[in-house]
Amino acid sequence: MAAVAAAAPVALPAALAGWWEHVNGSPAWQDGIFWALAALYGIIAASSFIQVARIQHRVPQYGWTTQKVFQLLNFVVNAARCSVFAFRRQVQLVNPQIFQHVILDLPGLAFFTTYAMLALFWAEISYQARGRDTDGLRSGFYIINGVIYAIQVLLWVLLWLNPNPSMLILSKLFIAGLSFSAALGFLLYGGRLFLMLKRFPIESKGRQQKLSEVGKVAAICSFCFLARCVMMCFDAFDKEADLDVLYHPILNFFYYLLVEIFPSALVLFILRRIPSKLPLSQYHPLSSG
């Protein structure tokens, strides 16, 4: 009886391990999880598109503001992810294999660009508050993104010409380093703007709400990019953490839920306010005289 009691705790991990293998190897579970991810991404994409339409309807005279561009890019990124997971089996059959990497990696790069716009926006506010020129920030943002995409294209070409494990590891480590840099950017510019707002007078209009927005968004984005960095490092060196294969659906579900879906949903909820409608200018009729 003592031997049976001692062996009892081992049964649960074994059962969980068996369940994990069963789910990962089951085509029905794979399809179900990938369709669930597609549905979640589709909901976020639809929410972003609705926000763009609302902003355009409310203040069409503002043009393409940072808020509108951010929401539009969010729509594009999440619609792309939705399509990838909806057709995940077809993506796995794409040849040559390098195009699979492009299809799976490109939305991640676009996600970086989308949320880097928030850090750029915060940096511009900080610079303007100090009376400094902001033109260099925006041009620097374009240059940095151009360099990042150029490096990624070069890595794809090298992986195509020399498809060995070391090149694949290098490509994933590049994404990990990019994610770590993004997390630092949010901590730096979000923290700087938070401290600046904290020094404003208490009676300043919207101060408390803006403090809450900046603090929450900076924390969420820093966490999601740090989590992406850690997971990409595991993905690079551990085959059991490979996200680019069909037979790791559970890992895919928790990874994308943690680093993209959940953070995107929270940020969109926090930044759900849209500009107020401008009042019509008062009309003063001319006197008959």
Side-chain angles (χ1 to χ4, degrees):
M1 292 294 293
V4 173
V10 182
L12 184 59
L16 285 175
W19 175 83
W20 180 277
E21 294 298 329
H22 169 71
V23 170
N24 280 334
S26 168
W29 273 100
Q30 291 168 7
D31 290 341
I33 289 175
F34 291 137
W35 275 108
L37 286 170
L40 291 172
Y41 276 113
I43 291 171
I44 296 175
S47 301
S48 296
F49 185 80
I50 290 170
Q51 281 294 83
V52 172
R54 288 181 65 209
I55 296 170
Q56 179 62 26
H57 176 72
R58 179 72 65 87
V59 282
Q61 65 276 16
Y62 277 5
W64 284 100
T65 60
T66 302
Q67 184 184 21
K68 195 186 294 185
V69 174
F70 171 75
Q71 294 287 359
L72 180 64
L73 288 177
N74 246 315
F75 163 72
V76 172
V77 170
N78 286 281
R81 284 289 193 205
C82 173
S83 301
V84 168
F85 283 113
F87 300 100
R88 188 64 182 85
R89 291 196 177 276
Q90 288 79 358
V91 170
Q92 197 73 23
L93 299 175
V94 171
N95 281 307
Q97 194 173 17
I98 185 61
F99 291 117
Q100 295 181 27
H101 294 293
V102 174
I103 293 170
L104 293 172
D105 292 344
L106 194 55
L109 284 177
F111 183 85
F112 164 82
T113 300
T114 301
Y115 282 84
M117 286 193 67
L118 288 179
L120 171 67
F121 181 58
W122 293 343
E124 287 179 333
I125 294 175
S126 299
Y127 273 52
Q128 288 170 355
R130 293 174 172 83
R132 298 172 63 182
D133 183 38
T134 61
D135 292 340
L137 286 174
R138 192 161 288 270
S139 59
F141 173 80
Y142 295 138
I143 292 171
I144 290 172
N145 274 273
V147 170
I148 287 170
Y149 281 85
I151 293 174
Q152 183 61 75
V153 170
L154 177 62
L155 289 173
W156 284 332
V157 171
L158 292 175
L159 186 60
W160 182 24
L161 298 175
N162 186 21
N164 60 61
S166 60
M167 286 306 306
L168 188 57
I169 289 173
L170 183 61
S171 179
K172 291 181 178 180
L173 288 180
F174 173 70
I175 300 295
L178 189 62
S179 301
F180 184 73
S181 301
L184 289 181
F186 276 105
L187 288 174
L188 174 63
Y189 292 110
R192 184 180 293 176
L193 181 58
F194 183 85
L195 293 175
M196 186 189 77
L197 290 171
K198 208 171 176 84
R199 289 194 295 268
F200 277 16
I202 295 177
E203 64 273 10
S204 295
K205 185 179 180 181
R207 169 187 176 274
Q208 199 61 37
Q209 186 171 21
K210 187 57 66 177
L211 265 175
S212 176
E213 283 184 4
V214 172
K216 289 175 182 177
V217 172
I220 291 168
C221 292
S222 299
F223 171 78
C224 87
F225 280 108
L226 281 175
R228 183 191 291 270
C229 173
V230 172
M231 191 60 205
M232 280 292 104
C233 290
F234 278 111
D235 189 9
F237 297 106
D238 187 358
K239 288 185 178 181
E240 295 299 320
D242 192 355
L243 295 164
D244 296 341
V245 293
L246 285 173
Y247 52 84
H248 285 163
I250 303 176
L251 196 61
N252 271 262
F253 182 79
F254 285 109
Y255 170 77
Y256 287 105
L257 190 70
L258 183 67
V259 305
E260 285 189 2
I261 295 172
F262 190 55
S264 294
L266 284 177
V267 170
L268 290 179
F269 177 76
I270 293 169
L271 303 179
R272 66 190 180 278
R273 291 188 306 124
I274 62 175
S276 301
K277 192 169 185 177
L278 293 178
L280 292 173
S281 57
Q282 292 182 350
Y283 172 65
H284 300 281
L286 294 174
S287 63
S288 59

